[in-house]
Amino acid sequence: MKQAITVERFGIRLRPVALADAAFIYHIRRMPELARYIGDIGSDYDAHQAWMADHLNREDDYYFVIERLDGKPVGTIAIYDIAKGEGHWGRWIILPTVPAAPASVWLAFQIAFERLGLTNIYSNTVQDNGRVVSFHERCGLERLRIDQGGLTIRGQAYDMVIHRASRHNWPQIQQRLERAARMAQRLIEES
Amino acid sequence: MSRELRQQLLELLAEVLEVPLSQDSNPQRHSLDSWDSLKHMELILSLEETFGIRFTSDEVASVESLEDLVRIIEVKL
């Protein structure tokens, strides 16, 4: 039975996505400055809603809205394909003006390791998305391999960097994220 | 003032991002992978501690280059 999980810290909250979030998620996933490295998605809104409903119904899929504590949504993040104590994380997208990246990853990993009891979670990042690859490695994720041509976006194949975060190195990851997350909290609360 | 400040900021940027930066460079966020969102927050925190200043959220979001930092900090000193 899938748990209803809501967590908050560092000035943001992760709460389960609902179908009422469809318009926000449709919008943010198609913002030109954010959509460059998102896999092919169509423009049909009904298809988007069906895609969301499918994910919300899956037992192995936790899809979260990242929101400010006043309830304003600023992004999404997900833990999915959960099986045998492992999973993936992704669908990570945040409005460019909101510094919620460190805190949202901190909270998603807390859910993965401390609530869901996962041992490892993996991420797949387009190698050309250098700043996100850098973020992952700065916060202590282990680079496992590169999947050549692992994702096709608008007809172009991209190599994917596969990273792993483990429950074992979660304390180190927390340390690396917390200083930035605390700084970002002040900025989010002041804005 | 701005030349000395620029040099000081360049050194701090190189230290936080852990990358070598030449003296005549003007590092830009979009062309420097190591200037990711995690390091951006650490950079702002280091600048606040070093200069005893505070950035607003709009200022933090607007920083895209070393020159932007020089412009913002010069006004605060």
Side-chain angles (χ1 to χ4, degrees):
Chain A
M1 181 73 179
K2 191 152 93 172
Q3 304 173 49
I5 299 173
T6 297
V7 292
E8 63 181 54
R9 194 171 172 189
F10 304 118
I12 64 162
R13 179 184 302 118
L14 265 54
R15 56 131 177 111
V17 162
L19 279 178
D21 299 308
F24 167 70
I25 295 174
Y26 182 91
H27 168 69
I28 195 171
R29 287 176 65 85
R30 286 158 182 79
M31 289 176 69
E33 63 269 47
L34 298 177
R36 186 172 174 195
Y37 296 114
I38 294 179
D40 288 337
I41 48 176
S43 58
D44 183 87
Y45 189 73
D46 290 339
H48 166 71
Q49 284 188 305
W51 173 85
M52 277 187 59
D54 176 54
H55 286 292
L56 299 188
N57 287 330
R58 292 184 188 176
E59 283 291 317
D60 65 348
D61 194 305
Y62 288 82
Y63 197 4
F64 300 97
V65 166
I66 304 164
E67 63 183 19
R68 296 165 45 120
L69 298 184
D70 61 9
K72 184 181 176 191
V74 299
T76 67
I77 195 166
I79 302 165
Y80 57 95
D81 289 349
I82 297 169
K84 298 177 181 174
E86 299 190 320
H88 285 77
W89 70 281
R91 291 180 225 144
W92 185 39
I93 186 161
I94 302 171
L95 293 173
T97 53
V98 183
S104 60
V105 171
W106 195 101
L107 289 169
F109 285 11
Q110 183 191 44
I111 292 168
F113 298 125
E114 298 179 18
R115 299 288 291 271
L116 302 177
L118 303 184
T119 307
N120 295 304
I121 48 172
Y122 301 88
S123 56
N124 306 359
T125 309
V126 174
Q127 188 173 28
D128 290 357
N129 196 358
R131 282 204 274 170
V132 172
V133 172
S134 173
F135 180 100
H136 286 16
E137 294 177 354
R138 299 278 190 175
C139 70
L141 306 194
E142 177 188 4
R143 181 188 286 226
L144 294 182
R145 65 178 187 278
I146 299 203
D147 283 352
Q148 296 198 340
L151 182 68
T152 301
I153 305 173
R154 289 173 283 280
Q156 183 176 346
Y158 288 89
D159 296 342
M160 303 295 287
V161 185
I162 314 301
H163 289 101
R164 173 173 60 195
S166 68
R167 189 161 54 192
H168 175 73
N169 67 2
W170 167 224
Q172 289 75 45
I173 295 170
Q174 284 183 65
Q175 279 188 340
R176 294 190 184 194
L177 289 170
E178 279 180 6
R179 184 172 145 94
R182 279 196 298 271
M183 174 70 202
Q185 177 178 2
R186 192 197 88 203
L187 297 169
I188 290 169
E189 289 174 349
E190 286 176 357
S191 64
Chain B
M1 171 65 177
S2 67
R3 179 172 292 197
E4 290 171 14
L5 177 61
R6 188 184 187 287
Q7 183 58 32
Q8 193 176 358
L9 292 178
L10 190 65
E11 290 171 8
L12 200 147
L13 188 62
E15 182 183 326
V16 172
L17 302 186
E18 300 173 62
V19 292
L21 296 170
S22 63
Q23 287 202 358
D24 56 352
S25 66
N26 177 26
Q28 311 271 330
R29 283 193 77 187
H30 71 267
S31 58
L32 205 52
D33 286 347
S34 56
W35 198 340
D36 58 50
S37 53
L38 186 62
K39 284 294 171 186
H40 192 55
M41 285 298 105
E42 292 181 7
L43 173 67
I44 297 299
L45 194 52
S46 294
L47 291 167
E48 290 194 340
E49 289 169 354
T50 301
F51 294 100
I53 57 176
R54 272 171 85 92
F55 285 80
T56 66
S57 57
D58 286 344
E59 287 168 341
V60 172
S62 75
V63 171
E64 287 297 328
S65 68
L66 176 69
E67 296 306 335
D68 288 340
L69 287 173
V70 173
R71 179 178 47 78
I72 292 168
I73 293 173
E74 218 168 21
V75 173
K76 294 179 182 289
L77 294 179

